[in-house]
Amino acid sequence: MPDIEFVNLFQGIATLLAADTSITVARLALIALGIALVYLGAKNLLDPLLMIPMGFGMASVNAAVLFLAGGQMGTIFIDPLVSNPSQLMAVLQIDFLQPLYTLTFSNGLIACFIFLGIGVMTEVGYVLANPFSSMFIAICAELGTVATFPIAVAMGLDYNEAASIAMVGGADGPMVLYTSLMLAPDLFVPITIVAYLYLSLTYGGYPYLIKLLIPKRLRGIQMDLSKIPTVTPGEKIAFSIITSTVLSLLFPVAAPLFMSFFLGVTVREANLKHYISFIEGPLLYGSTFFLGILLGVLCEANTIMNPKILILLVLGILALLLSGVGGIVGGYVLYFINKGKFNPVIGIAGVSCIPTTGKVAQKAVTEANPQSLILPYAIGANISGVITSAIITGIYVTLIPVLK
Amino acid sequence: MTTYRRVYWVAGTCTAFAGVYLVRALSLQATDNWRFGVLLGGYALAILGLFVITMGTRRKE
């Protein structure tokens, strides 16, 4: 009988035994985390649309490490660090998710698809109806995006990395993906993963922040919906094309995001039914599904093990917390300016995780006063948050390279 | 669209593109001392122009 080492028949296990202890522990922890994400997603405690494919990818990629040519360990899922064109051509033919990664993820296309979908689902009329309150709240809710930058620099990150992790404060996944791809390609995998993990927590975490900072009496304040003026589709289209053009002229590097978002808005307002059903259905859900898989698969222990990951975890949660607090402070300012006739809970909707934070705001208000409807104002702040996050993305990707 | 609203649209669009002109053209020709101010003024003017447009759309007719 030939001498067979049975452990080598099961390479996933053999590679666990052959790797450094730290990598083995990280792989086991990531497998457990992946399974936990699938469970929490299936139970609707985390966003299932992203967490189920992401958790599945995370568990699978860390289980499926094998011995490759030359005795190296790796997977046949994806190689995010390959940069040499000839190596890339070889990897494209072997790693089954590499074409998706190279052609949609690493160039930001998938972020633009998602932004197009968000645009199609966005009623920009709420911003046009209340531009001052919406934009004021959105600017206040960028506190985390702005304040985290110097803190990150003080903690040892360079300007590019600091700007990328600070964008988590905008609570907008595609923006973080885009900024980190442009400014910190070496760290964009851990930054994007930290961002999406935390973004899924906003739904669970922000209600506690609202209850902590706003008493029940103020949470139940009713808004006067009769003051909302009607904005015609033509005005919304004109506003979209002018805003997109102006912002693209100002920040050409972030132009793909501006174009995608406002094109989505225009498709909606022009009532192009076939485009609308394609973009908000197959394109948006398909992009979210593949984004989830890719993010999960990128969580391979060797890729994600970075000494800066702990700093990124701390800064990410700090950025989101500061943005939430900033938004609520903005809500309080408008409450005092309007002599008690503005519900400060709307402030949390300035954090641009559309439509999650808008829904969180309405849910918190309904718990305090079932008769109170604030959603139109909250969605206005939400959309303004997307616009201010895109502007800050533009400022960072335009100015940070100049600062260097 | 009423003349009143049209004024806001035209004024806002012109203001926004004036801001773009400051940022993309004039700031490049400005001396180092003035460049940052021109850039900042341009960005502010562009955003202000978009605000002027929204002021027109929110008016009830």
Side-chain angles (χ1 to χ4, degrees):
Chain A
M1 186 175 170
D3 185 20
I4 297 173
E5 285 193 43
F6 281 98
V7 75
N8 283 339
L9 287 177
F10 304 100
Q11 289 204 19
I13 297 167
T15 50
L16 267 178
L17 299 173
D20 290 341
T21 314
S22 59
I23 294 287
T24 304
V25 171
R27 275 179 62 192
L28 291 172
L30 287 166
I31 290 171
L33 179 62
I35 293 169
L37 290 180
V38 172
Y39 176 77
L40 293 171
K43 287 277 177 190
N44 269 320
L45 294 169
L46 294 177
D47 176 15
L49 292 178
L50 203 58
M51 286 303 133
I52 288 179
M54 187 170 164
F56 225 94
M58 195 184 289
S60 303
V61 79
N62 284 289
V65 179
L66 71 166
F67 293 108
L68 300 173
Q72 287 184 323
M73 285 183 275
T75 70
I76 51 168
F77 281 65
I78 210 166
D79 186 352
L81 303 177
V82 65
S83 55
N84 184 310
S86 60
Q87 281 180 333
L88 178 62
M89 285 310 294
V91 170
L92 277 169
Q93 296 171 61
I94 299 167
D95 290 4
F96 80 107
L97 284 172
Q98 193 71 34
L100 208 58
Y101 173 82
T102 305
L103 299 174
T104 69
F105 192 89
S106 64
N107 58 7
L109 177 63
I110 206 163
C112 292
F113 281 163
I114 291 176
F115 242 58
L116 195 59
I118 291 172
V120 163
M121 295 195 304
T122 296
E123 173 50 80
V124 82
Y126 292 134
V127 180
L128 294 173
N130 300 291
F132 290 109
S133 60
S134 300
M135 285 306 273
F136 178 75
I137 285 173
I139 290 167
C140 291
E142 295 296 345
L143 179 66
T145 320
V146 176
T148 307
F149 177 72
I151 297 171
V153 172
M155 288 176 78
L157 299 185
D158 66 29
Y159 286 165
N160 288 358
E161 295 164 351
S164 302
I165 191 65
M167 278 311 298
V168 176
D172 204 313
M175 299 287 186
V176 181
L177 178 65
Y178 196 82
T179 314
S180 53
L181 273 169
M182 291 290 152
L183 295 178
D186 294 342
L187 269 186
F188 97 90
V189 174
I191 288 175
T192 312
I193 289 160
V194 165
Y196 274 97
L197 276 177
Y198 282 153
L199 296 193
S200 68
L201 295 177
T202 54
Y203 200 74
Y206 273 165
Y208 294 103
L209 188 67
I210 293 170
K211 284 175 187 166
L212 185 71
L213 296 178
I214 305 173
K216 190 175 180 182
R217 180 176 58 84
L218 300 186
R219 292 202 302 269
I221 291 174
Q222 291 198 14
M223 299 293 294
D224 184 1
L225 299 180
S226 65
K227 282 184 179 172
I228 297 178
T230 311
V231 183
T232 63
E235 285 177 319
K236 293 176 202 171
I237 291 171
F239 176 75
S240 298
I241 185 66
I242 291 173
T243 306
S244 179
T245 308
V246 168
L247 294 178
S248 298
L249 282 164
L250 289 177
F251 313 108
V253 185
L257 286 179
F258 295 130
M259 192 208 75
S260 304
F261 178 72
F262 286 107
L263 176 61
V265 171
T266 305
V267 165
R268 174 195 168 97
E269 296 306 329
N271 201 21
L272 304 175
K273 289 199 171 75
H274 294 298
Y275 283 178
I276 292 171
S277 57
F278 166 66
I279 294 169
E280 73 179 1
L283 189 69
L284 182 58
Y285 285 110
S287 301
T288 309
F289 176 73
F290 287 119
L291 179 67
I293 290 182
L294 286 171
L295 284 172
V297 166
L298 285 169
C299 286
E300 205 247 312
N302 282 309
T303 312
I304 205 172
M305 285 286 278
N306 188 308
K308 288 178 178 168
I309 193 85
L310 195 63
I311 299 175
L312 298 179
L313 282 166
V314 172
L315 288 169
I317 198 83
L318 179 72
L320 270 181
L321 183 67
L322 286 174
S323 288
V325 171
I328 289 174
V329 168
Y332 267 117
V333 171
L334 289 175
Y335 166 78
F336 288 116
I337 289 174
N338 290 288
K339 295 172 184 159
K341 289 177 183 166
F342 191 91
N343 193 323
V345 176
I346 296 168
I348 201 76
V351 182
S352 68
C353 190
I354 191 168
T356 307
T357 45
K359 285 183 188 169
V360 164
Q362 180 60 57
K363 199 176 166 192
V365 168
T366 307
E367 279 173 15
N369 177 5
Q371 263 76 50
S372 182
L373 182 69
I374 56 138
L375 199 59
Y377 288 90
I379 295 295
N382 235 187
I383 299 160
S384 299
V386 175
I387 296 170
T388 52
S389 291
I391 291 172
I392 290 189
T393 300
I395 291 172
Y396 275 153
V397 295
T398 307
L399 294 184
I400 295 290
V402 180
L403 282 178
K404 281 179 82 181
Chain B
M1 191 188 282
T2 60
T3 312
Y4 191 76
R5 280 193 170 195
R6 207 169 286 138
V7 169
Y8 275 96
W9 274 95
V10 173
T13 307
C14 291
T15 310
F17 280 103
V20 170
Y21 175 71
L22 283 182
V23 171
R24 305 301 294 180
L26 219 57
S27 70
L28 301 176
Q29 297 162 16
T31 57
D32 288 349
N33 294 339
W34 282 94
R35 186 165 297 141
F36 187 72
V38 174
L39 265 177
L40 209 64
Y43 284 125
L45 211 56
I47 304 299
L48 179 72
L50 299 178
F51 260 106
V52 172
I53 293 173
T54 61
M55 281 167 66
T57 55
R58 72 196 289 260
R59 294 260 165 195
K60 282 189 174 178
E61 291 182 356

Coordinates of all heavy atoms in Angstrom, one line a residue, chain A residues 123-181:
Chain A
E123 N -36.3 60.1 -4.5 CA -37.2 61.2 -4.8 C -36.5 62.5 -4.5 O -36.5 63.0 -3.3 CB -38.4 61.0 -4.0 CG -39.4 62.2 -4.1 CD -39.8 62.6 -5.5 OE1 -40.6 62.0 -6.2 OE2 -39.2 63.6 -5.9
V124 N -35.8 63.1 -5.5 CA -35.0 64.3 -5.3 C -35.9 65.5 -4.9 O -35.4 66.5 -4.4 CB -34.1 64.5 -6.5 CG1 -34.8 65.3 -7.6 CG2 -32.8 65.3 -6.1
G125 N -37.2 65.4 -5.2 CA -38.1 66.5 -4.9 C -38.1 66.9 -3.4 O -38.3 68.0 -3.0
Y126 N -37.8 65.9 -2.5 CA -37.8 66.2 -1.1 C -36.6 67.2 -0.7 O -36.8 68.0 0.2 CB -37.6 64.9 -0.2 CG -38.8 64.0 -0.3 CD1 -38.7 62.7 -0.5 CD2 -40.1 64.5 -0.1 CE1 -39.8 61.8 -0.6 CE2 -41.2 63.7 -0.2 CZ -41.1 62.4 -0.4 OH -42.2 61.6 -0.5
V127 N -35.5 67.1 -1.5 CA -34.4 68.0 -1.2 C -34.8 69.4 -1.8 O -34.6 70.4 -1.1 CB -33.1 67.5 -2.0 CG1 -32.0 68.5 -1.7 CG2 -32.7 66.1 -1.5
L128 N -35.4 69.4 -3.0 CA -35.7 70.7 -3.6 C -36.8 71.4 -2.7 O -36.9 72.6 -2.7 CB -36.2 70.4 -5.0 CG -35.2 69.9 -6.0 CD1 -35.8 69.6 -7.3 CD2 -34.1 70.9 -6.2
A129 N -37.7 70.6 -2.1 CA -38.7 71.2 -1.2 C -38.2 71.8 0.0 O -38.7 72.8 0.5 CB -39.8 70.1 -0.9
N130 N -37.2 71.2 0.6 CA -36.6 71.7 1.9 C -35.1 71.8 1.8 O -34.4 71.1 2.5 CB -37.0 70.8 3.0 CG -38.5 70.7 3.2 OD1 -39.1 71.7 3.6 ND2 -39.0 69.6 2.9
P131 N -34.5 72.6 0.9 CA -33.1 72.5 0.6 C -32.3 72.9 1.8 O -31.2 72.3 2.1 CB -32.9 73.5 -0.6 CG -34.1 74.4 -0.5 CD -35.2 73.6 0.0
F132 N -32.7 74.0 2.6 CA -31.9 74.5 3.6 C -31.8 73.5 4.8 O -30.7 73.1 5.2 CB -32.4 75.8 4.1 CG -32.2 76.9 3.1 CD1 -33.2 77.5 2.4 CD2 -30.9 77.4 2.8 CE1 -33.0 78.4 1.5 CE2 -30.7 78.3 1.9 CZ -31.8 78.9 1.2
S133 N -32.9 73.0 5.3 CA -32.9 72.1 6.4 C -32.2 70.8 6.0 O -31.4 70.3 6.7 CB -34.3 71.8 6.9 OG -35.1 71.3 5.9
S134 N -32.5 70.3 4.8 CA -31.9 69.0 4.3 C -30.4 69.2 4.2 O -29.7 68.3 4.8 CB -32.4 68.6 3.0 OG -33.8 68.5 3.0
M135 N -29.9 70.2 3.6 CA -28.5 70.4 3.4 C -27.8 70.7 4.7 O -26.6 70.2 4.9 CB -28.2 71.4 2.3 CG -28.4 71.0 0.9 SD -27.6 69.5 0.4 CE -26.0 70.0 -0.1
F136 N -28.4 71.5 5.6 CA -27.8 71.8 6.8 C -27.6 70.6 7.7 O -26.5 70.3 8.2 CB -28.7 72.8 7.6 CG -28.1 73.2 9.0 CD1 -27.0 74.0 9.1 CD2 -28.6 72.6 10.1 CE1 -26.5 74.3 10.3 CE2 -28.1 72.9 11.4 CZ -27.0 73.8 11.5
I137 N -28.6 69.7 7.7 CA -28.5 68.5 8.5 C -27.4 67.6 7.9 O -26.6 67.0 8.6 CB -29.8 67.7 8.5 CG1 -30.8 68.4 9.5 CG2 -29.7 66.3 8.9 CD1 -32.2 67.9 9.5
A138 N -27.4 67.5 6.5 CA -26.4 66.6 5.9 C -25.0 67.1 6.1 O -24.1 66.3 6.4 CB -26.7 66.6 4.4
I139 N -24.8 68.4 6.1 CA -23.4 69.0 6.4 C -23.0 68.6 7.8 O -21.9 68.2 8.1 CB -23.4 70.5 6.1 CG1 -23.5 70.8 4.6 CG2 -22.1 71.1 6.7 CD1 -23.8 72.2 4.3
C140 N -24.0 68.8 8.8 CA -23.7 68.5 10.2 C -23.3 67.0 10.3 O -22.4 66.6 11.1 CB -24.9 68.8 11.1 SG -25.2 70.5 11.3
A141 N -24.0 66.1 9.5 CA -23.8 64.7 9.6 C -22.6 64.2 9.0 O -22.3 63.0 9.0 CB -25.1 64.0 9.1
E142 N -21.8 65.2 8.4 CA -20.5 64.8 7.8 C -19.4 65.0 8.9 O -18.2 65.0 8.6 CB -20.2 65.6 6.6 CG -21.1 65.4 5.4 CD -21.0 64.0 4.8 OE1 -20.0 63.3 5.1 OE2 -21.9 63.6 4.1
L143 N -19.8 65.3 10.1 CA -18.8 65.5 11.2 C -17.8 64.4 11.3 O -16.6 64.6 11.3 CB -19.6 65.6 12.5 CG -18.7 65.9 13.8 CD1 -18.0 67.2 13.7 CD2 -19.5 65.8 15.1
G144 N -18.3 63.1 11.2 CA -17.4 62.0 11.3 C -16.4 62.0 10.1 O -15.2 61.6 10.2
T145 N -16.9 62.3 8.9 CA -16.1 62.3 7.7 C -15.0 63.3 7.8 O -13.9 63.0 7.3 CB -17.0 62.6 6.5 OG1 -18.2 61.9 6.6 CG2 -16.3 62.1 5.2
V146 N -15.2 64.4 8.4 CA -14.2 65.5 8.5 C -13.3 65.3 9.7 O -12.1 65.3 9.6 CB -14.9 66.9 8.5 CG1 -13.9 68.0 8.7 CG2 -15.7 67.1 7.2
A147 N -14.0 65.0 10.9 CA -13.2 65.0 12.1 C -12.3 63.8 12.2 O -11.3 63.8 12.9 CB -14.1 65.1 13.3
T148 N -12.7 62.7 11.6 CA -11.9 61.4 11.7 C -10.6 61.6 10.9 O -9.6 60.9 11.3 CB -12.7 60.2 11.1 OG1 -14.0 60.2 11.8 CG2 -12.0 58.9 11.4
F149 N -10.5 62.4 9.9 CA -9.3 62.6 9.1 C -8.1 63.0 10.0 O -7.1 62.3 10.0 CB -9.6 63.6 8.0 CG -8.4 63.8 7.1 CD1 -7.9 62.9 6.2 CD2 -7.7 65.0 7.2 CE1 -6.8 63.1 5.5 CE2 -6.6 65.3 6.4 CZ -6.1 64.3 5.6
P150 N -8.2 64.1 10.7 CA -7.0 64.5 11.5 C -6.7 63.4 12.6 O -5.6 63.2 13.0 CB -7.4 65.8 12.2 CG -8.8 66.0 12.0 CD -9.2 65.2 10.8
I151 N -7.8 62.8 13.2 CA -7.6 61.8 14.2 C -6.8 60.6 13.6 O -5.9 60.1 14.2 CB -8.9 61.3 14.8 CG1 -9.6 62.5 15.5 CG2 -8.7 60.2 15.8 CD1 -11.1 62.2 15.9
A152 N -7.2 60.2 12.4 CA -6.5 59.1 11.7 C -5.0 59.4 11.4 O -4.1 58.6 11.6 CB -7.2 58.8 10.4
V153 N -4.8 60.7 11.0 CA -3.4 61.1 10.8 C -2.6 61.1 12.1 O -1.5 60.6 12.1 CB -3.4 62.5 10.2 CG1 -1.9 63.0 10.1 CG2 -4.0 62.5 8.8
A154 N -3.3 61.5 13.2 CA -2.6 61.5 14.5 C -2.3 60.1 14.9 O -1.4 59.8 15.7 CB -3.5 62.2 15.5
M155 N -3.1 59.1 14.5 CA -2.9 57.7 14.9 C -1.9 57.0 13.9 O -1.8 55.8 14.1 CB -4.3 57.0 14.9 CG -5.1 57.4 16.1 SD -6.8 56.6 16.1 CE -6.4 55.0 16.7
G156 N -1.3 57.7 13.0 CA -0.2 57.1 12.3 C -0.5 56.8 10.8 O 0.3 56.3 10.1
L157 N -1.8 57.0 10.3 CA -2.1 56.7 8.9 C -1.6 57.9 8.1 O -1.6 59.0 8.5 CB -3.6 56.5 8.8 CG -4.3 55.4 9.5 CD1 -5.7 55.2 9.1 CD2 -3.5 54.0 9.3
D158 N -1.3 57.6 6.8 CA -0.9 58.7 5.9 C -2.2 59.4 5.4 O -3.3 58.9 5.7 CB 0.0 58.3 4.8 CG -0.7 57.3 3.8 OD1 -1.9 57.4 3.7 OD2 0.0 56.5 3.2
Y159 N -2.1 60.5 4.7 CA -3.2 61.3 4.3 C -4.2 60.5 3.5 O -5.4 60.6 3.7 CB -2.8 62.5 3.5 CG -2.2 63.6 4.3 CD1 -1.4 64.6 3.7 CD2 -2.3 63.7 5.7 CE1 -0.9 65.7 4.5 CE2 -1.7 64.7 6.5 CZ -1.0 65.7 5.8 OH -0.4 66.7 6.6
N160 N -3.7 59.7 2.6 CA -4.6 58.9 1.7 C -5.4 57.9 2.5 O -6.6 57.7 2.3 CB -3.8 58.1 0.6 CG -3.2 59.1 -0.4 OD1 -3.4 60.3 -0.4 ND2 -2.4 58.5 -1.3
E161 N -4.7 57.2 3.4 CA -5.4 56.1 4.2 C -6.4 56.8 5.2 O -7.5 56.3 5.4 CB -4.4 55.3 5.0 CG -3.4 54.5 4.1 CD -2.2 54.0 4.8 OE1 -1.9 54.5 6.0 OE2 -1.5 53.2 4.3
A162 N -6.0 58.0 5.7 CA -6.8 58.7 6.7 C -8.1 59.1 6.0 O -9.2 59.0 6.5 CB -6.1 59.9 7.3
A163 N -8.0 59.7 4.8 CA -9.2 60.2 4.1 C -10.1 59.0 3.7 O -11.3 59.1 3.8 CB -8.7 60.9 2.8
S164 N -9.5 57.8 3.3 CA -10.3 56.7 3.0 C -11.1 56.2 4.2 O -12.3 55.9 4.0 CB -9.4 55.6 2.4 OG -8.7 56.0 1.3
I165 N -10.5 56.0 5.3 CA -11.2 55.5 6.5 C -12.2 56.5 7.0 O -13.2 56.2 7.5 CB -10.2 55.0 7.6 CG1 -11.0 54.2 8.6 CG2 -9.5 56.1 8.2 CD1 -11.6 52.9 8.2
A166 N -11.8 57.8 6.9 CA -12.7 58.9 7.3 C -14.1 58.8 6.6 O -15.1 59.2 7.1 CB -12.1 60.3 7.2
M167 N -14.0 58.4 5.3 CA -15.2 58.3 4.5 C -16.3 57.4 5.0 O -17.5 57.4 4.7 CB -14.9 57.9 3.0 CG -14.4 59.1 2.1 SD -15.4 60.6 2.2 CE -17.0 60.0 1.6
V168 N -15.9 56.5 5.9 CA -16.8 55.6 6.6 C -17.9 56.4 7.3 O -19.1 56.0 7.4 CB -16.1 54.6 7.6 CG1 -17.2 53.7 8.3 CG2 -15.2 53.7 6.8
G169 N -17.5 57.6 7.8 CA -18.4 58.5 8.5 C -19.6 58.9 7.6 O -20.7 59.3 8.1
G170 N -19.4 58.9 6.3 CA -20.5 59.2 5.3 C -21.5 58.1 5.2 O -22.6 58.2 4.7
A171 N -21.2 56.9 5.8 CA -22.0 55.7 5.8 C -22.5 55.4 4.4 O -23.7 55.0 4.3 CB -23.2 56.0 6.8
D172 N -21.7 55.5 3.5 CA -22.1 55.2 2.1 C -21.1 54.3 1.5 O -20.0 54.7 1.1 CB -22.2 56.6 1.3 CG -23.1 56.5 0.1 OD1 -22.9 55.5 -0.6 OD2 -23.9 57.4 -0.1
G173 N -21.4 53.0 1.4 CA -20.5 52.0 0.9 C -19.8 52.3 -0.4 O -18.6 52.3 -0.4
P174 N -20.5 52.6 -1.4 CA -19.9 52.9 -2.7 C -18.9 54.0 -2.6 O -17.8 54.0 -3.3 CB -21.0 53.3 -3.6 CG -22.2 52.6 -3.1 CD -22.0 52.6 -1.6
M175 N -19.2 55.1 -1.8 CA -18.2 56.2 -1.6 C -16.9 55.7 -1.0 O -15.8 56.1 -1.4 CB -18.8 57.3 -0.7 CG -20.1 57.9 -1.2 SD -19.8 59.0 -2.6 CE -21.4 59.6 -2.8
V176 N -17.0 54.9 0.0 CA -15.8 54.4 0.7 C -15.0 53.5 -0.3 O -13.8 53.6 -0.4 CB -16.2 53.5 2.0 CG1 -15.0 53.0 2.7 CG2 -17.1 54.3 2.9
L177 N -15.7 52.7 -1.0 CA -15.1 51.8 -2.0 C -14.3 52.6 -3.0 O -13.1 52.4 -3.3 CB -16.2 51.0 -2.7 CG -15.8 50.0 -3.8 CD1 -14.9 48.9 -3.3 CD2 -17.0 49.4 -4.4
Y178 N -15.0 53.7 -3.5 CA -14.4 54.5 -4.5 C -13.2 55.3 -4.0 O -12.2 55.3 -4.6 CB -15.5 55.5 -5.0 CG -15.2 56.2 -6.3 CD1 -15.4 55.5 -7.5 CD2 -14.6 57.4 -6.4 CE1 -15.1 56.1 -8.7 CE2 -14.3 58.0 -7.6 CZ -14.5 57.4 -8.7 OH -14.2 58.0 -9.9
T179 N -13.4 55.9 -2.8 CA -12.3 56.7 -2.2 C -11.1 55.9 -1.9 O -9.9 56.3 -2.3 CB -12.7 57.4 -0.9 OG1 -14.0 58.0 -1.1 CG2 -11.8 58.5 -0.5
S180 N -11.3 54.7 -1.3 CA -10.1 53.9 -1.0 C -9.4 53.3 -2.2 O -8.2 53.2 -2.3 CB -10.5 52.8 0.0 OG -11.6 52.0 -0.5
L181 N -10.2 53.0 -3.3 CA -9.6 52.6 -4.5 C -8.7 53.7 -5.1 O -7.7 53.4 -5.7 CB -10.7 52.2 -5.5 CG -11.2 50.8 -5.5 CD1 -12.5 50.7 -6.4 CD2 -10.2 49.8 -5.9

